[in-house]
Amino acid sequence: MRGLSRFRNGLLALAFLPMAGAVLGAPPAPADQVARGRYLARIANCVACHTVPGGAPMAGGLPLETDVGTVYSTNITPDADTGLGRYSLDDFDRAVRHGQARDGRRLYPAMPYTSYAKMTRDDVAAIHAWLRSEVKPVRQANRETALRWPYSMRWLLVPWNWLNLRSDPVRADAKQGEAWRRGAYLVQAVAHCGACHTPRGALYGEKGIDERSRHFLSGATVEGWSATNLTGDTLTGLGSWSKADLVEYLHTGRNAHATSFGPMSTVIATSTQYMSATDLDAVATYLKSIAGARGETQPFRPEPAAATRLEQGRFDAAGARQYATFCMPCHQSSGKGFARVFPPLAGNPTVVDPNPASLINLLLDGAVTARVNTAPTDYHMPGYGWTMEDQELANLLTFIRGSWGNRASPVTTEAVADRRRAMGLSAPETP
């Protein structure tokens, strides 16, 4: 439900500049508390939702598209009239962890307060200290939501919170070590990974809140992208990734298995690349402990037949010729790609995901890798919606999802056409 795909990495340089001091005469916060708040705000990725491309950092106004309409993020600068300048710590804590604004209005759960509910008050206080110490006050009125009825009635959030808001701390497991406990806290609370990667029910509440639920982090759909399965499944999840693979991906946006794209490139560029080595290890420790949600236990087994036919110039399979023309120069006839630059398609969890939405988006409109400090540049994948019709794209996607040992279901022409319309892309002109 978050609007991450609309954010652009160019804001990053502006988002964390030291700004004016304490607001409304409040005493300055201790430097160590402000520093901790700055770090936690990065992990929570506040900038991604509360900054419009080209706008003032944290001034809000970003449209967050949901299935029931549009919610606009709010101004969280310390401006006294339009931002959080008059918010005491209690007010701020009530908004962050309980979804209630200072004036009593209920916040829509596009703001992931159901995850932040598990944060400690000390960590909330640190973020509050950072906001009032280092973020420049900006006078910018908040925009009204545009949700369809009955979701536009905020009072419905009262029973919704009864069903979905739990303020219990992250569960302690005596059998696990400190790294696991820290990772659980980061994944479930501060980084709120479940907000995107956990499926939601009919009333849009997350179906699972921690590793005890088979739904937790099992994959979902966010703004037309498939947020991948983060459980231990070997084909569509993280079962074939090591802890080192996870750390590398979160820190650099690439590893031997995958390269970031879409909303995840933003998350890495603005958030996870700044995690400490200790916290990255903790997140990887926790994620690797989660059992597979789909029962996949056998590893991916590559098959050479598709590569052999491509190398022989045999394009008898639907989509094969398009693959050779548009994809093979980067991803090779074997589908193995070039590690850490052009990701493998053979055995790639995104490629074989039951939901092909992300793959369709990539072929229609392209993507860019995360802009990180560990790489000299980002890489752009071009989109091909301008030159291929829906049927051609469906054939190409089906070829990719069924070659080199991949066993994913075909992609229909209707699915491509639906995504093209939703993305506002034109079909290629016929000669």
Side-chain angles (χ1 to χ4, degrees):
M1 296 176 71
R2 295 177 298 175
L4 298 183
S5 59
R6 294 173 176 265
F7 184 79
R8 294 296 180 264
N9 295 335
L11 293 171
L12 185 61
L14 298 174
F16 296 101
L17 290 174
M19 296 294 181
V23 178
L24 296 182
D32 60 342
Q33 184 187 40
V34 172
R36 191 162 112 256
R38 186 189 313 121
Y39 176 76
L40 289 167
R42 275 178 167 156
I43 306 309
N45 210 8
C46 305
V47 65
C49 285
H50 288 278
T51 308
V52 172
M58 306 298 176
L62 187 80
L64 310 176
E65 304 296 341
T66 78
D67 290 341
V68 297
T70 304
V71 177
Y72 294 92
S73 64
T74 54
N75 182 347
I76 60 171
T77 74
D79 178 68
D81 296 321
T82 62
L84 303 183
R86 300 185 187 278
Y87 272 59
S88 67
L89 174 57
D90 285 342
D91 295 332
F92 185 70
D93 183 73
R94 191 176 302 112
V96 170
R97 297 201 295 170
H98 302 282
Q100 188 171 4
R102 183 172 178 266
D103 61 5
R105 287 179 304 113
R106 301 288 175 173
L107 304 181
Y108 286 105
M111 192 284 204
Y113 61 83
T114 55
S115 297
Y116 294 155
K118 295 185 175 185
M119 289 178 64
T120 66
R121 183 177 170 89
D122 283 349
D123 279 353
V124 173
I127 295 175
H128 181 252
W130 169 73
L131 283 169
R132 68 185 179 89
S133 299
E134 292 191 353
V135 175
K136 181 180 179 180
V138 176
R139 186 179 180 83
Q140 179 173 294
N142 293 310
R143 298 184 62 178
E144 290 296 324
T145 60
L147 301 183
R148 68 172 184 265
W149 189 88
Y151 303 99
S152 56
M153 297 189 294
R154 286 185 185 263
W155 68 265
L156 289 174
L157 290 165
V158 175
W160 191 91
N161 285 338
W162 291 341
L163 294 172
N164 295 285
L165 180 59
R166 301 172 180 84
S167 56
D168 300 335
V170 173
R171 182 180 73 94
D173 188 335
K175 297 182 293 183
Q176 304 290 348
E178 180 56 34
W180 185 94
R181 289 189 289 272
R182 175 65 175 173
Y185 177 70
L186 291 170
V187 169
Q188 294 177 31
V190 187
H192 56 281
C193 303
C196 285
H197 291 272
T198 298
R200 295 175 180 267
L203 297 178
Y204 299 101
E206 294 170 36
K207 290 185 175 181
I209 60 171
D210 62 28
E211 70 286 345
R212 291 172 293 180
S213 168
R214 66 182 179 86
H215 297 293
F216 183 61
L217 302 181
S218 63
T221 301
V222 181
E223 289 197 326
W225 294 84
S226 50
T228 54
N229 175 8
L230 301 184
T231 73
D233 289 307
T234 56
L235 299 178
T236 62
L238 301 177
S240 62
W241 292 27
S242 67
K243 278 179 54 178
D245 291 332
L246 273 166
V247 168
E248 182 182 8
Y249 183 77
L250 292 173
H251 187 53
T252 70
R254 58 199 76 185
N255 63 19
H257 302 277
T259 303
S260 71
F261 59 85
M264 196 61 200
S265 284
T266 297
V267 172
I268 292 168
T270 58
S271 177
T272 63
Q273 72 159 320
Y274 296 102
M275 278 188 177
S276 68
T278 301
D279 279 350
L280 284 169
D281 178 76
V283 168
T285 297
Y286 176 68
L287 289 176
K288 286 299 294 181
S289 75
I290 300 176
R294 297 170 180 164
E296 300 165 2
T297 58
Q298 297 300 313
F300 173 74
R301 292 186 175 87
E303 295 178 358
T308 300
R309 288 194 295 270
L310 288 168
E311 290 162 3
Q312 294 173 345
R314 295 167 53 194
F315 306 132
D316 45 309
R321 187 176 298 276
Q322 286 84 1
Y323 180 83
T325 303
F326 296 103
C327 310
M328 199 162 71
C330 293
H331 298 282
Q332 304 191 71
S333 60
S334 63
K336 292 181 179 180
F338 295 91
R340 296 171 180 82
V341 180
F342 306 123
L345 302 179
N348 188 312
T350 297
V351 171
V352 298
D353 194 306
N355 180 358
S358 287
L359 205 59
I360 296 173
N361 292 349
L362 288 169
L363 266 291
L364 277 170
D365 202 33
V368 61
T369 60
R371 182 170 298 169
V372 291
N373 296 330
T374 56
T377 186
D378 45 20
Y379 292 94
H380 293 248
M381 172 185 160
Y384 297 108
W386 66 274
T387 189
M388 277 193 274
E389 297 177 352
D390 295 340
Q391 183 63 65
E392 291 178 298
L393 284 167
N395 290 344
L396 172 55
L397 290 162
T398 298
F399 177 82
I400 292 170
R401 283 165 60 85
S403 297
W404 312 294
N406 294 337
R407 294 286 183 271
S409 60
V411 175
T412 66
T413 305
E414 291 74 22
V416 177
D418 288 345
R419 286 306 303 150
R420 190 191 292 272
R421 282 192 295 272
M423 298 170 77
L425 300 176
S426 300
E429 295 183 5
T430 56

